[in-house]
Amino acid sequence: MSAPLLEVGRLNKVFETKKGRVHALHNIDLAIKEGEFITVIGPSGCGKSTLLKIAAGLDTDYEGEVRLSGEKVTGPGIDKGFIFQEPRLFPWLTVEKNIAADLSLKKPEVRQKVDNLIELVKLTGFEKAYPRELSGGMAQRVSIARALLRNPKILLLDEPFGALDAFTRAHMQEVLLDIWQANKTTMVFVTHDIDEAIFLANRVVILKPRPGAIKNIIPVDLPFPRKKASTSFQEIRYKILSEFEKLDELELVESAGI
Ligand code: ADP
Ligand code: MG
């Protein structure tokens, strides 16, 4: 078997705060293969963003191992793309300039790449538009295109569609799957929407809170395109829901002091 692209081993993260220590992640072990689409799901505060930031090299203050292509992650870099919930575009730059970032569109190879990305994220015709002229979904597509410009090995997305309405969100899921199928970029996608987690993923990682730890990893062996109303989809949904129900029972037992 080939070596994993992203390897997380015995990862622990503690935040020291004025109110005390928060053990945000506990002994996380996760190996992600090249080309895989992983979704990470779990209740608020269970450490999803912390895990993603560490994988992206945005937080290097942790214990354990985090490796990308066998090399220790020591900081952010062009091999790792990160998408936040809000698009974070430069309001004074057009769509194409936001995507090109610090590269010059006068260079033919940059122009070509940006044009291809604009087509890939379905924004043809909006090259010269400004962020204020875009809907939330379009703006997030610009930020995805920008993250893809330098061909990252991995794209880490932290609830990227969380602020969008249900219809836009469903459309964005399809666009993202098209991008994944076209580019084969490895994806790690955080969400707290169970349907979204199943619709996109090869495997769904379920986190539990206090401290954040992996509860289970559910493979999703359904062919694409997936139908959310299909029986096989619903079966996986029940499986994941039952994991959360077990989690609630556990919490009830803990809070009752049993
Ligand atoms: P999620 O993304 O799953 O909602 P987070 O990763 O943001 O969870 O947070 C996990 C835990 O770590 C929470 O208890 C949160 O309060 C705590 N935490 C996150 N960031 C910090 C920080 N910068 N300082 C202190 N505690 C933090
Ligand atoms: Mg979060």
Side-chain angles (χ1 to χ4, degrees), residues 5-9 11 13 25 28 30 32 38 40 47-62 65-69 71-77 79-82 153-157 187-190:
L5 177 74
L6 179 72
E7 266 179 292
V8 175
L11 170 64
K13 169 75 188 181
L25 295 172
I28 303 283
L30 185 62
I32 297 176
I38 296 289
V40 180
K48 303 182 296 294
S49 296
T50 305
L51 174 62
L52 217 57
K53 282 183 197 150
I54 291 174
L58 297 171
D59 180 353
T60 52
D61 179 20
Y62 58 83
E65 286 282 311
V66 182
R67 291 179 177 275
L68 188 69
S69 303
E71 282 178 35
K72 207 167 165 64
V73 172
T74 53
D79 51 351
K80 302 178 284 292
F82 200 94
K153 289 179 184 163
I154 194 162
L155 201 56
L156 304 139
L157 307 101
M187 304 273 187
V188 186
F189 184 109
V190 165

Side-chain angles (χ1 to χ4, degrees), residues 13-26:
K13 169 75 188 181
V14 173
F15 288 106
E16 305 283 356
T17 71
K18 282 181 193 145
K19 288 183 185 164
R21 287 159 59 87
V22 178
H23 196 166
L25 295 172
H26 176 69

Side-chain angles (χ1 to χ4, degrees), residues 78-114:
I78 58 169
D79 51 351
K80 302 178 284 292
F82 200 94
I83 308 283
F84 296 90
Q85 182 168 339
E86 68 291 344
R88 299 195 180 190
L89 302 179
F90 297 112
W92 58 87
L93 295 181
T94 58
V95 163
E96 60 185 20
K97 287 189 175 160
N98 264 287
I99 296 173
D102 56 338
L103 302 181
S104 169
L105 283 163
K106 293 198 183 96
K107 288 189 180 160
E109 66 276 17
V110 177
R111 178 79 258 171
Q112 184 65 52
K113 190 85 209 286
V114 169

